[in-house]
Amino acid sequence: MKATLRILLSALMLFCISQIDMKASHAMGADLTYTCLGGNQYTFRLSFYRDCFGITPSATQFINASSVSCAQNISITLNQLAGFPIEVSPLCAAQLPNSTCSGGTLPGVQEYAYEGTFTLPSACADWVFSYSECCRNASITTLSSPGLENLYVEATLNNLSAPCN
């Protein structure tokens, strides 16, 4: 019984330690855009930029669509586009093979692109589309303590007074 308890406690400690080590600061930036297709239908595109030294994002991302005036709060699924990720490291061409994206030691950045088409349930004056991700990259120099911050981007739409913008 004591041996089983020791094994269980050891496994629990290893699990807790591994959870601490799994925290990564990978989120470097993002862009969120939409294109009107007509009839309240929109294609949403999320470009997510990650530090290649961090964790790999999933093949599916979610954005939130909300409107206070229309009492809407919707989650929209975006799927990774074929051909992504692509390396967009700010390095000279000769240095690219040495980026962390290629197994090297120089800072590497990848762009992941996601898209999804969605029909909004109604025309509203105050649509807000947003994306949030934990684990902001700690090497960002334009923020104080960036590793303690989340990444957040949003786009707005008034399709009540300006259908298709």
Side-chain angles (χ1 to χ4, degrees):
M1 184 70 167
K2 286 183 180 180
T4 304
L5 184 59
R6 282 187 194 157
I7 291 171
L8 184 60
L9 286 174
S10 296
L12 181 61
M13 285 179 22
L14 286 173
F15 176 76
C16 290
I17 290 171
S18 71
Q19 295 304 307
I20 292 169
D21 290 338
M22 287 178 69
K23 281 192 162 189
S25 60
H26 64 284
M28 296 188 82
D31 292 315
L32 178 59
T33 60
Y34 57 84
T35 302
C36 180
L37 304 176
N40 269 353
Q41 189 174 54
Y42 295 83
T43 296
F44 295 91
R45 183 178 179 129
L46 173 70
S47 294
F48 176 74
Y49 302 92
R50 98 179 223 330
D51 181 339
C52 288
F53 196 67
I55 61 172
T56 302
S58 73
T60 304
Q61 296 293 332
F62 301 92
I63 62 170
N64 186 62
S66 62
S67 167
V68 173
S69 67
C70 292
Q72 296 288 328
N73 193 16
I74 305 162
S75 180
I76 300 172
T77 303
L78 306 180
N79 295 306
Q80 187 174 328
L81 293 174
F84 285 88
I86 58 172
E87 184 167 359
V88 293
S89 301
L91 300 171
C92 296
Q95 294 176 315
L96 284 176
N98 297 319
S99 78
T100 52
C101 300
S102 302
T105 57
L106 297 175
V109 180
Q110 286 180 318
E111 176 187 0
Y112 285 72
Y114 303 87
E115 276 190 2
T117 299
F118 187 79
T119 302
L120 296 173
S122 57
C124 305
D126 61 343
W127 282 109
V128 176
F129 309 106
S130 62
Y131 172 76
S132 183
E133 175 70 24
C134 79
C135 311
R136 193 70 189 253
N137 189 276
S139 61
I140 294 171
T141 59
T142 56
L143 298 172
S144 298
S145 305
L148 301 176
E149 302 294 330
N150 287 342
L151 171 69
Y152 176 84
V153 293
E154 73 177 27
T156 60
L157 170 68
N158 177 350
N159 65 340
L160 183 62
S161 64
C164 265
N165 245 2

